[in-house]
């Protein structure tokens, strides 16, 4: 095992609560203190409905959303790639790149927005008898795109759960799902750049000392972890709180995660990448490295939005 990377800091989530549910914003483009060290990761939202509440309602029209359904209506992005990972329910998905379908739980949706694209997502009930989805949880991550790619074409890919690489190890006490990038011999089917250069894993650890160990790829000097379920999780020798971003920086090239709980499984989202050294310009759900790219993207976003409006989709 290589030298363990030190924990530079932890950042608590900023939660948005309401009658419709909760978003825990773990990272945003304006994360203070160490935001530059997390790039290219610029956002992690943990969307949850732990009490039968739903995050947001979409209007009732054929494309804007089914009556009584819940999710996120059509909205634009540019300059980022989004990775969505829904754990509890299926996700109905449409985008302006022609991708559409229902993604079962534990599938992954990747969209490289480039110079501008719109997409739509709606959480599906778990059964025909359930009128609205409940008890769901999921994540959306934003990855800043480099110059050239941020101005380019858009691309999206839906990866069903059976195609998400998964490995059980250490006598089945540790399970790793590869949401993007590479883990040992497992390679994510998302080969679109920059997904192939960003490692994002969903790690499940059984109680009573189950361990996950990983050596980061060469050049992956930006790394982080989020414990989103369980307690008593120790990362590189330090017990860390739930629902906070653990920033792993410097001093080594490896991570060791242990679940010391005697009863609870632990679930950890963990990622690494080469640091994005460019400045960030932000506007709504757009992130770019310069103002011209931002301005050009918003011209495209408005053009696409006008076409969606003319069809009655927004």
């Amino acid at each position: 095992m290589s030298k363990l990377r030190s924990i530079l800091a932890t950042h608590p989530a900023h939660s948005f609560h309401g009658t419709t549910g909760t978003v825990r914003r773990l990272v945003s483009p304006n994360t203070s203190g160490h935001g530059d060290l997390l790039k290219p990761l610029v956002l992690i939202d943990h969307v949850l409905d732990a009490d039968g509440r739903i995050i947001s309602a979409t209007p009732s029209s054929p494309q804007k959303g089914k009556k009584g359904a819940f999710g996120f209506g059509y909205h634009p992005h540019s300059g980022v790639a989004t990775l969505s990972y829904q754990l509890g329910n299926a996700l109905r998905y449409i985008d302006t790149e022609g991708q559409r379908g229902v993604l079962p739980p534990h599938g992954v949706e990747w969209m490289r927005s480039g110079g501008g694209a719109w997409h739509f997502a709606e959480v599906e009930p778990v059964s025909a008898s359930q009128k609205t989805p409940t008890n769901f949880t999921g994540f959306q991550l934003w990855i800043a795109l480099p110059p050239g790619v941020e101005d380019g074409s858009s691309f999206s890919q839906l990866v069903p759960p059976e195609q998400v690489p998964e490995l059980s190890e250490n006598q089945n006490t540790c399970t790793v799902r590869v949401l993007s990038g590479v883990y040992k011999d497992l390679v994510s089917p998302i080969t679109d750049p920059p997904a192939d250069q960003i490692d994002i894993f969903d790690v499940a650890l059984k109680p009573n000392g189950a361990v996950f160990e990983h050596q980061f790829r060469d050049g992956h000097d930006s790394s982080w972890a989020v414990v989103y379920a369980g307690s008593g999780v120790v990362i590189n020798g330090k017990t860390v709180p739930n629902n906070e971003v653990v920033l792993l920086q410097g001093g080594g090239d490896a991570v060791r995660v242990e679940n010391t709980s005697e009863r609870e499984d632990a679930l950890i989202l963990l990622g690494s990448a080469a640091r994005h050294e460019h400045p960030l310009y932000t506007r709504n759900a757009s992130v770019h490295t310069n103002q011209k790219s931002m301005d050009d993207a918003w011209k495209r976003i408005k053009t696409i939005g006008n076409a969606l409006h003319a069809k009655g989709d927004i």
Side-chain angles (χ1 to χ4, degrees), residues 271-313:
S272 67
R275 189 167 299 145
H276 181 88
E277 300 290 356
H278 305 280
L280 296 183
Y281 291 72
T282 63
R283 177 180 175 182
N284 299 337
S286 296
V287 178
H288 286 274
T289 67
N290 62 86
Q291 190 60 52
K292 183 180 185 304
S293 291
M294 177 70 75
D295 293 342
D296 290 346
W298 270 83
K299 291 177 184 177
R300 180 178 176 184
I301 283 171
K302 289 178 180 178
T303 298
I304 298 171
N306 289 338
L308 291 172
H309 188 271
K311 292 193 299 180
D313 290 347

Side-chain angles (χ1 to χ4, degrees), residues 30 79 92 114 284:
N30 301 312
R92 189 165 71 92
N284 299 337

Side-chain angles (χ1 to χ4, degrees), residues 2-216:
S2 300
K3 186 178 178 181
L4 297 178
R5 191 164 285 184
S6 58
I7 294 179
L8 178 62
T10 62
H11 287 278
H14 177 65
S15 296
F16 303 89
H17 299 287
T19 58
T20 57
T22 300
V23 171
R24 291 179 180 149
R25 180 147 293 170
L26 294 147
V27 174
S28 77
N30 301 312
T31 296
S32 61
H34 301 100
D36 281 349
L37 299 179
L38 288 164
K39 296 186 303 184
L41 178 73
V42 293
L43 181 137
I44 305 178
D45 273 354
H46 184 193
V47 182
L48 67 158
D49 166 36
D51 301 313
R53 299 179 301 165
I54 309 300
I55 185 58
S56 63
T58 53
S60 54
S61 76
Q63 295 300 321
K64 295 176 185 175
K66 301 173 187 176
K67 186 175 182 180
F70 296 86
F72 300 90
Y74 259 123
H75 59 283
H77 291 281
S78 67
V80 295
T82 64
L83 185 148
S84 301
Y85 181 49
Q86 177 64 35
L87 298 172
N89 296 69
L91 196 68
R92 189 165 71 92
Y93 178 84
I94 306 170
D95 66 35
T96 52
E97 295 306 299
Q99 189 74 256
R100 64 172 57 219
V102 176
L103 190 63
H106 296 277
V108 176
E109 176 263 315
W110 170 266
M111 185 183 77
R112 169 172 43 86
S113 62
W118 291 63
H119 68 168
F120 162 100
E122 179 177 88
V123 179
E124 295 273 290
V126 296
S127 67
S129 62
Q130 187 187 38
K131 294 182 179 179
T132 59
T134 58
N135 299 314
F136 68 85
T137 186
F139 291 91
Q140 185 170 93
L141 292 75
W142 294 3
I143 309 297
L145 298 173
V149 181
E150 66 177 318
D151 306 294
S153 61
S154 305
F155 171 83
S156 63
Q157 183 175 352
L158 301 179
V159 182
E162 66 272 13
Q163 293 181 19
V164 177
E166 181 176 305
L167 176 66
S168 292
E169 51 191 3
N170 300 338
Q171 297 181 328
N172 295 323
T173 62
C174 172
T175 301
V176 182
R177 307 191 81 236
V178 182
L179 309 188
S180 73
V182 177
Y183 177 69
K184 296 186 176 178
D185 294 331
L186 302 182
V187 180
S188 167
I190 305 173
T191 57
D192 177 61
D196 58 339
Q197 297 299 314
I198 298 171
D199 295 338
I200 301 175
F201 309 142
D202 184 23
V203 179
L205 294 175
K206 296 293 185 183
N208 295 306
V211 170
F212 166 76
E213 294 180 327
H214 174 61
Q215 182 172 333
F216 299 114

